């Protein structure tokens, strides 16, 4: 193994990554390029990240013995998703250096604690209420109103674990509330959804990326556009909020903050992801360093550079129903940067890859994507 001096992980050191999906894969690629060795822990043999790493431990994410085994073989440890158990991470930190700690994990793993953290620190959030049973739901819906959205407080992504409420039929609410603690949020008059990626090292230096505009289909991210089509004033406010959140969370590594922008240009923090994010994939081609480079730099305490947008970009996700045709159509598009995650099983609505296109005209590029039959299935 390599060495850690003054919390700086020298190249040649070994990084352990908990989680072997596409985020872990792109983290590993950045780490390898910078001279680090990488070991992955993931229950899926030959997972996406393991394909580009030095070794894999095949185990569940909550397998303490396996996590300790990983820790004993690495100089620094990180994770690719926020649903690892914070108490387990604390236990494992006895055996290796985990610069991210558990504060960001603890705050963001539960939507109630996340909203509380944001409110307590003066960051803008939509009106909301905690719901533990149908009686509380009935009280909350009177307070929050319709339209609104109810979400489980833990887990859930790409539209899972949530129900949009457009009328008083309340279909499925009883089952959701009986299975999990929930949070009811007011639906705002939405103009745009945007996100910003920020990375921070152990010394407190930050790199912040341009604001990204996000377009969803069926609650799954479809397109990301950088820079977002918003005013300079809003962009500055978003950067200031992200900087504030990163400081309060004592961030190390990469974090994404998602925002809602209302038709009246009011700004609300939607969610915090204490890791690289789907919307930030386009930074690989569009910026001087990527969100994954920045994550590795952060956890290894390398200096954090100023982010330069080299060229505007659009990223489009490839789900299971898109992948086969995209693999063929890439031969017709010299401007496509195809990222295929190498997942063994192709499933409907499963994220299988993405394409980034460096652009001059965002409207023209968006129109060409929407007209391509790949994304019309």
């Amino acid at each position: 193994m390599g060495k850690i001096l003054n919390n700086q992980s020298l190249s040649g050191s070994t990084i352990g990554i908990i989680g072997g999906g596409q985020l872990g894969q792109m983290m590993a690629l950045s780490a390898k390029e910078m001279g680090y060795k990488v070991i992955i822990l993931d229950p899926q043999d030959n997972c996406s990240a393991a394909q580009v790493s030095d070794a894999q431990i095949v185990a569940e994410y909550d397998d303490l013995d396996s996590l300790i085994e990983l820790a004993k073989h690495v100089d620094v440890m990180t994770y690719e998703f926020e649903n690892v158990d914070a108490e387990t991470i604390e236990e494992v930190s006895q055996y290796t250096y985990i610069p991210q700690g558990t504060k960001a994990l603890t705050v963001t793993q539960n939507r109630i604690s996340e909203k509380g953290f944001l409110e307590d620190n003066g960051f803008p959030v939509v009106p909301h209420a905690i719901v533990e049973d149908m009686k509380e739901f009935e009280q909350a819906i009177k307070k929050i109103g319709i339209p609104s959205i109810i979400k489980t407080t833990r887990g859930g992504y790409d539209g899972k674990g949530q129900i949009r409420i457009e009328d008083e039929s309340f279909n499925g609410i009883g089952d959701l509330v009986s299975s999990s603690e929930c949070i009811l949020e007011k639906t705002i008059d939405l103009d745009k959804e945007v996100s910003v990626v920020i990375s921070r090292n152990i010394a407190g230096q930050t790199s912040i990326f341009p604001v990204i505009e996000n377009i969803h289909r069926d609650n799954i991210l479809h397109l990301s556009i950088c820079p977002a089509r918003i005013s300079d004033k809003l962009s500055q406010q978003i950067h200031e909020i992200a900087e504030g959140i990163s400081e309060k969370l004592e961030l190390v590594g990469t974090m994404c903050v998602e925002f809602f922008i209302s038709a009246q240009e009011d700004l609300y923090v939607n969610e915090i992801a204490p890791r690289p994010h789907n919307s930030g994939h386009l930074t690989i081609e569009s910026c001087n360093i990527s969100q994954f480079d920045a994550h590795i730099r952060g956890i290894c305490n390398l200096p954090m550079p100023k982010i330069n947008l080299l060229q505007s970009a659009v990223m489009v996700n490839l789900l299971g129903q898109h992948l086969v045709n995209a693999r063929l159509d890439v031969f017709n598009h010299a401007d496509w940067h195809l990222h295929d995650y190498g997942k063994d099983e192709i499933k409907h609505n499963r994220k299988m890859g993405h394409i980034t296109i460096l652009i001059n005209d965002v409207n023209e590029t968006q129109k060409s994507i929407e007209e391509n039959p790949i994304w019309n299935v």
Side-chain angles (χ1 to χ4, degrees):
M1 291 192 288
K3 294 180 179 178
I4 296 181
L5 300 174
N6 300 320
N7 292 331
Q8 295 173 313
S9 300
L10 309 182
S11 61
S13 301
T14 301
I15 298 173
I17 302 176
I18 304 170
Q22 62 266 25
L23 299 179
Q25 183 187 68
M26 288 179 270
M27 276 186 204
L29 287 167
S30 287
K32 294 295 292 178
E33 188 176 78
M34 295 161 69
Y36 296 96
K37 296 179 175 64
V38 178
I39 303 175
I40 302 296
L41 185 143
D42 192 274
Q44 177 65 51
D45 188 25
N46 193 41
C47 59
S48 298
Q51 295 168 25
V52 298
S53 299
D54 296 279
Q56 178 185 1
I57 294 173
V58 179
E60 298 294 334
Y61 307 125
D62 59 355
D63 184 334
L64 182 58
D65 290 340
S66 294
L67 286 165
I68 291 171
E69 179 189 350
L70 174 66
K72 289 179 177 179
H73 286 86
V74 303
D75 300 290
V76 60
M77 187 182 286
T78 185
Y79 43 82
E80 68 143 13
F81 60 99
E82 61 269 41
N83 291 324
V84 292
D85 182 66
E87 290 185 9
T88 302
I89 294 296
E90 289 280 6
E91 179 75 17
V92 173
S93 65
Q94 300 177 59
Y95 301 91
T96 194
Y97 185 39
I98 307 179
Q100 289 160 281
T102 57
K103 184 171 183 178
L105 272 182
T106 303
V107 167
T108 60
Q109 282 181 338
N110 183 294
R111 287 189 170 97
I112 293 172
S113 62
E114 184 177 74
K115 286 285 192 294
F117 161 80
L118 292 167
E119 283 189 307
D120 290 346
N121 287 285
F123 301 116
V125 294
V126 298
H128 60 277
I130 299 168
V131 174
E132 295 186 350
D133 54 40
M134 282 305 293
K135 183 178 180 180
E136 287 190 355
F137 171 75
E138 290 165 6
Q139 295 169 341
I141 200 71
K142 290 177 183 176
K143 173 185 172 185
I144 301 299
I146 298 172
S148 53
I149 183 168
I150 189 164
K151 306 175 181 178
T152 57
T153 58
R154 285 185 173 270
Y157 62 95
D158 293 342
K160 299 178 177 68
Q162 58 184 254
I163 298 173
R164 293 187 179 276
I165 303 169
E166 306 290 350
D167 53 43
E168 295 183 359
S169 60
F170 303 148
N171 292 328
I173 302 294
D175 290 340
L176 190 70
V177 170
S178 64
S179 65
S180 175
E181 183 182 49
C182 294
I183 187 167
L184 182 71
E185 299 177 2
K186 184 176 180 61
T187 300
I188 64 166
D189 184 9
L190 186 68
D191 178 49
K192 281 184 171 62
E193 294 185 43
V194 301
S195 58
V196 67
V197 173
I198 183 169
S199 304
R200 190 170 181 266
N201 68 7
I202 298 152
Q205 299 172 338
T206 59
S207 295
I208 188 162
F209 291 81
V211 181
I212 300 162
E213 180 179 341
N214 298 313
I215 297 170
H216 293 77
R217 278 188 183 176
D218 299 324
N219 296 310
I220 301 173
L221 182 63
H222 173 51
L223 289 179
S224 289
I225 299 166
C226 186
R229 293 169 288 187
I230 60 174
S231 68
D232 290 342
K233 179 183 176 183
L234 273 175
S235 183
Q236 183 179 349
Q237 288 176 343
I238 288 166
H239 275 193
E240 288 172 356
I241 290 170
E243 289 269 13
I245 291 172
S246 73
E247 186 175 341
K248 293 292 184 181
L249 285 179
E250 302 167 13
L251 175 71
V252 175
T254 289
M255 173 184 77
C256 178
V257 185
E258 299 177 42
F259 293 84
F260 293 144
I261 300 174
S262 76
Q264 297 75 36
E265 292 206 335
D266 294 320
L267 196 60
Y268 303 94
V269 178
N270 176 32
E271 289 185 349
I272 305 167
R275 49 155 174 87
H277 191 261
N278 193 172
S279 65
H281 294 349
L282 51 73
T283 61
I284 296 171
E285 284 83 21
S286 67
C287 296
N288 54 318
I289 67 167
S290 74
Q291 65 168 343
F292 303 99
D293 298 333
H295 182 76
I296 299 302
R297 296 183 75 90
I299 64 170
C300 293
N301 209 19
L302 291 163
M304 305 301 293
K306 181 180 185 299
I307 300 301
N308 296 317
L309 181 67
L310 304 178
Q311 190 168 343
S312 299
V314 169
M315 183 216 71
V316 55
N317 264 331
L318 294 174
L319 306 181
Q321 59 269 35
H322 309 143
L323 183 64
V324 173
N325 287 332
R327 284 172 171 170
L328 295 171
D329 202 27
V330 72
F331 290 96
N332 299 318
H333 298 275
D335 58 338
W336 282 12
H337 296 267
L338 171 66
H339 295 255
D340 187 328
Y341 305 148
K343 294 181 180 179
D344 290 337
E345 188 176 359
I346 299 175
K347 294 180 181 178
H348 185 84
N349 279 353
R350 187 185 191 192
K351 291 174 183 174
M352 303 300 298
H354 71 268
I355 290 168
T356 299
I357 307 168
L358 301 178
I359 61 170
N360 295 313
D361 186 324
V362 63
N363 294 323
E364 181 182 320
T365 303
Q366 186 176 352
K367 184 171 181 285
S368 71
I369 292 168
E370 301 305 345
E371 291 178 350
N372 190 314
I374 288 172
W375 289 283
N376 291 321
V377 293

